[in-house]
């Protein structure tokens, strides 16, 4: 009951009752932290009890806390070699690689507001409890060493999916590099690298590189070389690298639609942002004998982990919603006006005699003007947008969105929150749960009446045999979150198009809708109206009514995504200054289904929940 107990305690602190009265916010936060630490210590002891009931070796417990202490590090610590990303005649300078990297230190956090006790303290507690216990009759592996190592290797592969979803592109590249040692020429790993380079290219060319990049002085271990490598590269260089690598993968896997789509977008960035034609690139190998082959040495002992921040030439760089500065530790390595390094000219030497490559590059170059015109028109249409929030921008430019011709749609996790902000615990759980069930029922009834074939997948209705639905919900949810993180300023190729093909086939539609309702009740702070009315008695009865009348706001939203294209087809958010009466909710739902305008026959069989 730790979660429930901690929530209740947090609410007590928030209400500023009892022992916490008149304390500062800092002290309250410290109290929460201390309580969390005591729960974690209790959990360790109970976890030990569960472990001791098993047949696993007790001596293995000594390594558990080492795993926790180094959990933020990759599973390996191997020197990264830039040749991993190079091709025959495309070689980057040796100075793009570090000679030495920052050592890994298992440092325990000493922050007094941490939610967990120090690892050393947790280790010492457990070791005291198991002191003198023997391993007699216990085993290191219960399911077998081979099975354990297979699952561990699968987990290491799965890390790439997590990294990509969280836009950790450099971590994806290093993890793929480690795995490729045992799995050379693995298509999954090569695709992950393709996607990671593509992500770096999209953000660098959009001026938002700082959103997805962690600067290298903060990184420990050999993985630091990857962060350093991309830190000193110009956006043009990243575009060339991403295009070079994705072209190789396109030639290697010509039938892979994801790789083809990524390659096309990489070359569009290369052409539209930097090189209008392939004439910049040499068709002959580099003939220079003397080259920059020495790795760069950095004195990390004198490099601050939180370096002083400065402007470059007095300019503040904006990337997305973040202000990005260049740190002094890397300042000498960066020259904003530097010419493009000579090695870039030889990026496509290996392909310049390939007619397919020349035709491909030239075709994309010919489309540059048309793409530029489309962008100009988009900017013109969106000239009134100033909010910086892409969802708000979309709604401003699409006040009356329309979506037509959909005959089937899948609703994903419809939700309903009833909130009363006057209460200490504002979310009314039981009322929300009942309203959510009724909301799902209304979706089904009105979809049927409108002639829409539909399905609802909801995590609240999953059973023991619902693993497939659970996986669908997880894939859809993580993809939508990633889509939102990118924003509409970056038009990303869908990373999961192959996986979504199976989902589209399963439900027989590419259209998936996320919808939900928040019904909020607040206090009416209209006392000043009552006071004012005292000076004008005829308004007194009305003022009394308005003062004590509760205030309601009901918000309902719909997001329709087309999984086949990876695009958002429809976004609508409606706000009502009234309570969530059933007729209001059903009216809004009816308007939504009316928008879809399915086929005139309306004779398709509808699906139930």
């Amino acid at each position: 009951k730790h979660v429930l107990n901690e929530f209740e305690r947090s609410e007590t602190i928030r209400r500023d009752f009892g022992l916490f009265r008149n304390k500062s916010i800092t002290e309250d936060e410290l109290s929460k932290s201390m309580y969390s630490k005591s729960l974690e210590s209790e959990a360790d002891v109970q976890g030990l009890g569960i472990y001791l009931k098993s047949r696993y070796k007790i001596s293995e417990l000594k390594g558990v806390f080492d795993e926790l202490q180094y959990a933020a590090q990759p599973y390996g610590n191997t020197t990264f070699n830039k040749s991993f990303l190079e091709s025959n005649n495309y070689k980057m300078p040796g100075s793009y690689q570090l000679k030495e990297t920052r050592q890994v230190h298992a440092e325990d956090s000493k922050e007094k507001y941490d939610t967990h006790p120090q690892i050393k303290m947790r280790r010492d507690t457990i070791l005291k409890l198991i002191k003198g216990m023997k391993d007699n009759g216990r085993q290191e592996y219960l399911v077998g060493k081979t099975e354990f190592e297979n699952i561990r290797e699968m987990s290491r592969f799965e890390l790439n999916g997590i990294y990509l979803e969280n836009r950790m592109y450099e971590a994806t590249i290093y993890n793929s590099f480690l795995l490729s040692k045992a799995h050379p020429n693995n298509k999954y790993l090569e695709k992950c690298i393709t996607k990671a380079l593509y992500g770096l290219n999209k953000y660098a060319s959009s001026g938002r590189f700082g959103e997805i990049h962690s600067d290298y002085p903060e990184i420990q271990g050999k993985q630091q070389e990857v962060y350093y490598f991309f830190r000193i590269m110009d956006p043009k260089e990243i575009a060339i690298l991403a295009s070079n690598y994705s072209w190789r993968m396109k030639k290697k896997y010509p039938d892979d639609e994801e790789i083809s789509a990524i390659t096309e977008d990489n070359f569009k960035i290369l052409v539209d942002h930097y090189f209008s034609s392939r004439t910049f690139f040499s068709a002959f190998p580099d003939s220079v004998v003397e080259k920059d082959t020495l790795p760069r040495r950095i004195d990390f002992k004198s490099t601050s982990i939180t370096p002083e921040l400065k402007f470059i030439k007095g300019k503040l760089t904006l990337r997305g919603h973040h202000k990005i500065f260049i740190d002094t530790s890397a300042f000498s390595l960066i020259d904003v006006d530097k010419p493009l390094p000579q090695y870039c000219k030889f990026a496509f030497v290996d392909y310049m005699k390939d007619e397919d490559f020349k035709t491909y590059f030239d075709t994309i170059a010919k489309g540059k003007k048309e793409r530029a015109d489309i962008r100009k028109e988009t900017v013109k249409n969106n000239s009134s947008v100033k909010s910086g929030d892409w969802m708000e921008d979309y709604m401003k430019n699409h006040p009356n969105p329309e979506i037509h011709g959909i005959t089937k749609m899948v609703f994903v996790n419809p939700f309903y929150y009833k909130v009363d902000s006057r209460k200490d615990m504002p979310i009314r759980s039981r009322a929300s749960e009942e309203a959510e069930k009724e909301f799902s029922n209304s979706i089904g009834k009105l979809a049927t009446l409108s002639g829409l074939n539909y399905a609802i997948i909801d995590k609240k209705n999953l059973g023991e045999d619902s693993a497939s639905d659970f996986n669908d919900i997880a894939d859809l949810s993580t993809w939508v979150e990633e889509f939102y993180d990118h924003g509409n300023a970056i038009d990303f190729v869908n990373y999961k198009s192959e996986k979504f093909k199976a989902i589209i086939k399963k439900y027989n539609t590419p259209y998936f809708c996320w919808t939900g309702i928040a019904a909020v009740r607040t206090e009416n702070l209209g006392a000043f109206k009552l006071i004012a009315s005292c000076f004008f008695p005829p308004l007194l009865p009305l003022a009394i009514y308005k003062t004590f009348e509760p205030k309601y706001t009901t918000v309902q939203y719909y997001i329709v995504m087309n999984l086949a294209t990876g695009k958002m087809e429809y976004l609508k958010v409606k706000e009502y200054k009234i309570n969530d009466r059933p007729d209001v909710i059903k009216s809004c739902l009816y308007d939504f289904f009316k928008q879809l305008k399915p086929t005139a026959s309306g004779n398709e069989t509808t699906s139930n929940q």
Side-chain angles (χ1 to χ4, degrees):
K1 296 186 177 181
H2 281 174
V3 174
L4 179 61
N5 292 341
E6 187 161 16
F7 175 77
E8 289 176 345
R9 183 179 175 88
S10 296
E11 285 299 302
T12 301
I13 293 171
R14 189 182 65 81
R15 290 194 300 267
D16 197 28
F17 285 162
L19 296 173
F20 305 103
R21 186 179 297 281
N22 298 325
K23 288 189 177 183
S24 68
I25 293 176
T26 302
E27 289 174 310
D28 289 349
E29 291 299 321
L30 179 57
S31 177
K32 290 181 186 179
S33 170
M34 296 301 292
Y35 188 63
S36 297
K37 289 175 184 176
S38 71
L39 296 185
E40 289 298 332
S41 298
E42 184 182 338
D44 282 348
V45 174
Q46 291 198 22
L48 173 63
I50 295 170
Y51 185 88
L52 293 176
K53 291 176 184 176
S54 75
R55 292 183 291 115
Y56 281 112
K57 281 187 174 182
I58 295 172
S59 56
E60 291 297 311
L61 285 167
K62 296 178 182 178
V64 168
F65 293 95
D66 291 332
E67 295 292 336
L68 289 173
Q69 200 150 30
Y70 291 95
Q73 298 299 316
Y75 75 86
N77 192 31
T78 304
T79 299
F80 179 78
N81 194 325
K82 63 183 178 60
S83 64
F84 178 66
L85 299 173
E86 296 172 334
S87 57
N88 292 337
N89 288 289
Y90 175 52
K91 308 291 184 183
M92 285 157 249
S95 58
Y96 282 28
Q97 190 147 354
L98 285 174
K99 187 169 184 176
E100 295 178 49
T101 53
R102 189 168 161 242
Q103 291 185 349
V104 177
H105 296 287
E107 298 174 353
D108 241 337
S109 173
K110 295 181 174 59
E111 289 292 327
K112 61 182 179 179
Y113 303 116
D114 284 350
T115 57
H116 288 60
Q118 290 185 20
I119 299 292
K120 182 180 183 303
M121 185 186 304
R122 297 171 68 185
R123 179 194 286 112
D124 291 345
T125 300
I126 296 301
L127 291 182
K128 284 179 183 177
L129 292 171
I130 64 173
K131 188 176 182 180
M133 293 185 182
K134 305 296 182 184
D135 279 335
N136 298 340
R138 292 177 173 269
Q139 299 172 243
E140 186 174 354
Y141 299 96
L142 298 186
V143 297
K145 183 177 180 180
T146 301
E147 179 68 7
F148 167 79
E149 290 180 345
N150 284 341
I151 294 172
R152 183 180 64 183
E153 198 72 352
M154 286 170 59
S155 301
R156 290 171 174 175
F157 270 79
E158 287 294 331
L159 276 173
N160 275 355
I162 296 171
Y163 289 149
L164 286 171
E165 287 165 2
N166 287 279
R167 303 182 298 166
M168 299 169 65
Y169 302 123
E170 289 144 317
T172 304
I173 290 171
Y174 188 71
N175 193 60
S176 299
F177 167 74
L178 293 176
L179 286 166
S180 67
K181 298 294 184 182
H183 307 276
N185 300 312
N186 179 279
K187 182 181 178 181
Y188 173 77
L189 295 178
E190 290 176 334
K191 284 190 69 171
C192 286
I193 297 164
T194 303
K195 293 173 181 178
L197 290 172
Y198 173 61
L200 290 164
N201 187 21
K202 291 293 279 188
Y203 275 88
S205 64
S206 301
R208 293 170 56 187
F209 191 63
E211 288 183 39
I212 49 92
H213 169 75
S214 296
D215 219 348
Y216 73 92
E218 302 175 7
I219 308 299
Q220 296 182 5
K222 302 297 184 182
Q223 63 170 332
Q224 187 178 44
E225 296 193 62
V226 180
Y227 292 84
Y228 172 84
F229 180 79
F230 287 104
R231 175 65 179 78
I232 65 171
M233 289 187 86
D234 184 276
K236 295 189 191 74
E237 295 177 78
I238 294 176
I240 292 170
L241 171 57
S243 300
N244 177 290
Y245 193 90
S246 63
W247 178 259
R248 276 185 274 157
M249 294 303 107
K250 177 178 168 61
K251 297 295 284 185
K252 189 172 183 178
Y253 306 109
D255 298 327
D256 191 295
E257 294 179 9
E258 281 185 331
I259 290 177
S260 294
I262 288 173
T263 303
E264 182 179 347
D265 207 20
N266 276 331
F267 275 85
K268 284 179 180 177
I269 293 171
L270 191 70
V271 168
D272 294 354
H273 288 260
Y274 312 117
F275 308 102
S276 297
S277 72
R278 56 185 168 86
T279 55
F280 168 84
F281 300 100
S282 174
F284 304 98
D286 189 358
S287 59
V288 179
V289 178
E290 294 294 328
K291 297 180 182 178
D292 176 11
T293 58
L294 296 176
R296 176 80 64 170
R297 183 189 292 274
I298 302 290
D299 182 6
F300 289 106
K301 291 181 180 178
S302 64
T303 300
S304 171
I305 305 308
T306 54
E308 178 188 358
L309 300 177
K310 283 192 174 182
F311 291 97
I312 284 190
K313 299 188 176 182
K315 295 179 181 178
L316 173 66
T317 305
L318 291 177
R319 291 180 176 137
H321 302 298
H322 302 274
K323 295 179 180 178
I324 302 300
F325 302 89
I326 304 301
D327 61 87
T328 52
S329 64
F331 186 74
S332 62
L333 305 178
I334 303 298
D335 180 359
V336 293
D337 297 322
K338 72 174 182 180
L340 196 63
Q342 190 72 8
Y343 83 92
C344 293
K345 286 184 173 291
F346 308 98
F348 300 110
V349 168
D350 300 322
Y351 323 121
M352 280 299 192
K353 294 179 182 179
D354 183 345
E355 291 300 323
D356 287 345
F357 176 80
K358 290 192 287 186
T359 302
Y360 189 86
F361 199 118
D362 293 346
T363 301
I364 288 178
K366 286 178 182 176
K368 178 178 179 179
K369 184 180 184 307
E370 182 181 347
R371 292 191 295 273
D373 290 341
I374 292 173
R375 283 195 295 272
K376 284 179 183 177
E377 189 65 25
T378 302
V379 170
K380 180 181 177 182
N381 292 337
N382 296 347
S383 59
S384 62
V385 176
K386 297 179 180 179
S387 70
D389 183 291
W390 74 267
M391 293 187 77
E392 187 176 336
D393 292 349
Y394 181 93
M395 289 186 288
K396 282 183 178 179
N397 285 291
H398 302 83
N400 297 299
E402 293 185 354
I403 184 168
H404 306 294
I406 295 177
T407 56
K408 183 173 182 181
M409 184 177 290
V410 179
F411 294 86
V412 185
N413 281 341
F415 76 84
Y416 203 123
Y417 285 124
K418 282 182 171 285
V419 181
D420 190 338
S421 65
R422 305 169 304 165
K423 307 290 185 181
D424 289 329
M425 298 178 66
I427 296 180
R428 299 164 57 201
S429 302
R430 188 182 297 276
S432 297
E433 187 176 340
E434 292 172 355
E436 205 159 69
K437 289 178 182 177
E438 182 57 34
F439 183 47
S440 289
N441 290 336
S442 295
I443 289 174
K445 290 175 182 176
L446 288 171
T448 302
L449 287 172
S450 67
L452 178 73
N453 195 0
Y454 78 97
I456 298 176
I457 51 175
D458 193 340
K459 61 187 178 184
K460 294 177 290 300
N461 298 327
L462 298 178
E464 292 181 3
D465 58 348
S466 302
S468 176
D469 289 345
F470 176 84
N471 289 332
D472 292 345
I473 292 171
D475 287 330
L476 291 164
S477 298
T478 53
W479 176 71
V480 166
E481 288 171 16
E482 187 183 0
F483 179 91
Y484 179 80
D485 286 340
H486 292 320
N488 69 341
I490 296 187
D491 189 13
F492 247 79
V493 168
N494 185 359
Y495 276 168
K496 295 189 175 182
S497 61
E498 287 187 356
K499 187 172 286 188
F500 284 168
K501 279 183 181 178
I503 296 179
I504 291 170
K505 184 177 180 180
K506 177 179 177 180
Y507 295 100
N508 195 29
T509 181
Y511 296 103
F512 286 72
C513 177
W514 282 258
T515 182
I517 295 173
V520 183
R521 181 176 180 177
T522 58
E523 261 185 277
N524 191 335
L525 303 177
F528 72 93
K529 295 179 182 177
L530 181 59
I531 296 171
S533 66
C534 292
F535 298 96
F536 195 55
L539 289 180
L540 185 58
L542 178 62
I544 293 174
Y545 169 74
K546 288 292 184 182
T547 297
F548 296 101
E549 178 193 27
K551 281 194 170 183
Y552 296 94
T553 302
T554 301
V555 178
Q556 189 166 1
Y557 81 90
Y558 304 90
I559 299 176
V560 177
M561 306 295 294
N562 184 336
L563 297 194
T565 62
K567 309 293 184 187
M568 183 174 67
E569 299 280 352
Y570 181 90
L571 170 64
K572 185 77 171 181
V573 180
K574 297 202 74 171
E575 181 177 337
Y576 307 91
K577 294 297 182 182
I578 52 177
N579 65 352
D580 55 329
R581 300 194 312 265
D583 60 311
V584 173
I585 302 304
K586 289 179 180 178
S587 174
C588 191
L589 270 173
Y590 177 77
D591 288 343
F592 171 66
F593 287 121
K594 188 178 177 182
Q595 283 275 325
L596 302 181
K597 295 183 180 177
T599 52
S601 63
N603 293 326
E604 297 186 26
T605 304
T606 56
S607 167
N608 60 30
Q609 185 169 339

